[in-house]
Amino acid sequence: MKIALLGGTGNLGEGLALRFAKLGHEIIIGSRKIEKAKQLASEYLEKVSKASITGMQNEDAAKECDMAVFTIPWEFAFDTAEKLKDYLKRKIVVSPLVPMKKVGDNFVYVRPEEGSAAQKLATILTESKVVAAYHAIPAKRFANLSEEFEWDVPVCGDSEAKEVVIELTEKISGLRALDAGDLSNAYLIESLTTLILNIMKRNKIGEIGISFR
Ligand SMILES: NC(=O)c1ccc[n+]([C@@H]2O[C@H](COP(=O)([O-])OP(=O)(O)OC[C@H]3O[C@@H](n4cnc5c(N)ncnc54)[C@H](OP(=O)(O)O)[C@@H]3O)[C@@H](O)[C@H]2O)c1
């Protein structure tokens, strides 16, 4: 599958790029700047042998892909979605977006009036199949290919697209994808991720994922 990581030059984008590339998927790193996309694509390629990772501007990445992941900070993801929506029609679009803000030293979930960031994305990308996943994956550990973990990935969305994302995710060693219902449940995993960040910070325990075992 051709998978575009929009804003794939950042924290979560790297881990998803490396781990999807290892499975043999064609990876497109999207960026606002073509030079940055190409630079990061070649850096990621050095970490995974015999992989297909190319860099493009977000627009071209959205045009070329079969599936896209919005690995962009939530504040900017919706404007980006407006710009890319024509290219993403009929495609699966994954939202790992965690809308939150810092109040003092506390992370607070910012619930969009649509119900969740994933639902807000779906109201923009009306002709795409939006699925919510990957919220509670700690990016730095995930991007380290020698890291070992056993994390669960709740996945929300309509059944057909959700099944594709579940199947894709299950193939990543150390991840178990779990059907978490339709998109109306996405706020639960978005807000849980905010709680996890507070727990990490207050207890100084570094990056943790989630496991329901
Ligand atoms: N970090 C984590 O551990 C983690 C875990 C799970 C889910 N998430 C979610 O995943 C998403 C990405 O998080 P991240 O930590 O990977 O983000 P990030 O590293 O801070 O940023 C990712 C990329 O977003 C692009 N970007 C920045 N400002 C932008 C703007 N104004 N318009 C368009 N693109 C912009 C940049 O790419 P270019 O400069 O190349 O365009 C940047 O490299 C967030 O929504 C977050 O909630 C993060």
Side-chain angles (χ1 to χ4, degrees):
M1 200 191 301
K2 268 193 197 175
I3 304 172
L5 300 164
L6 306 169
T9 52
N11 302 314
L12 183 63
E14 177 173 4
L16 288 172
L18 300 180
R19 291 180 187 274
F20 286 144
K22 267 182 76 176
L23 298 175
H25 295 290
E26 285 181 57
I27 306 306
I28 308 169
I29 303 302
S31 169
R32 288 166 295 176
K33 296 197 179 110
I34 181 71
E35 302 78 18
K36 185 174 173 188
K38 287 187 170 171
Q39 172 65 30
L40 271 294
S42 79
E43 287 176 24
Y44 298 167
L45 260 180
E46 282 171 26
K47 299 183 184 179
V48 193
S49 57
K50 292 188 202 145
S52 165
I53 309 179
T54 49
M56 296 182 192
Q57 277 192 313
N58 285 327
E59 289 75 5
D60 293 321
K63 263 185 231 170
E64 285 289 316
C65 71
D66 304 313
M67 176 184 122
V69 188
F70 267 75
T71 49
I72 293 177
W74 72 277
E75 299 93 324
F76 315 120
F78 307 118
D79 281 352
T80 307
E82 289 285 359
K83 288 182 199 142
L84 303 181
K85 67 179 173 190
D86 285 344
Y87 309 130
L88 294 170
K89 282 181 184 169
R90 293 174 294 281
K91 298 180 181 178
I92 296 174
V93 173
V94 180
S95 168
L97 305 175
V98 179
M100 62 179 190
K101 63 179 179 189
K102 213 149 176 225
V103 178
D105 63 355
N106 198 41
F107 294 106
V108 177
Y109 180 57
V110 179
R111 192 172 184 188
E113 61 185 34
E114 292 80 358
S116 63
Q119 286 167 297
K120 182 163 181 168
L121 202 63
T123 63
I124 299 166
L125 303 175
T126 50
E127 294 184 55
S128 304
K129 302 164 207 167
V130 176
V131 170
Y134 310 131
H135 308 83
I137 289 186
K140 286 209 173 74
R141 287 183 65 195
F142 192 55
N144 177 358
L145 293 179
S146 45
E147 181 78 30
E148 287 189 10
F149 48 78
E150 267 194 14
W151 294 327
D152 285 333
V153 178
V155 185
C156 304
D158 288 344
S159 26
E160 210 181 304
K162 181 169 57 184
E163 274 314 309
V164 174
V165 176
I166 287 177
E167 208 175 298
L168 183 72
T169 305
E170 285 276 313
K171 294 208 169 81
I172 298 177
S173 173
L175 294 187
R176 179 176 69 164
L178 296 171
D179 185 340
D182 66 24
L183 223 48
S184 66
N185 279 346
Y187 79 99
L188 294 167
I189 179 65
E190 293 176 3
S191 53
L192 174 64
T193 307
T194 310
L195 174 67
I196 293 168
L197 289 171
N198 282 315
I199 289 172
M200 277 162 43
K201 190 163 184 295
R202 285 172 186 275
N203 297 277
K204 301 185 176 63
I205 48 177
E207 287 193 330
I208 49 169
I210 53 170
S211 167
F212 296 106
R213 282 160 277 202

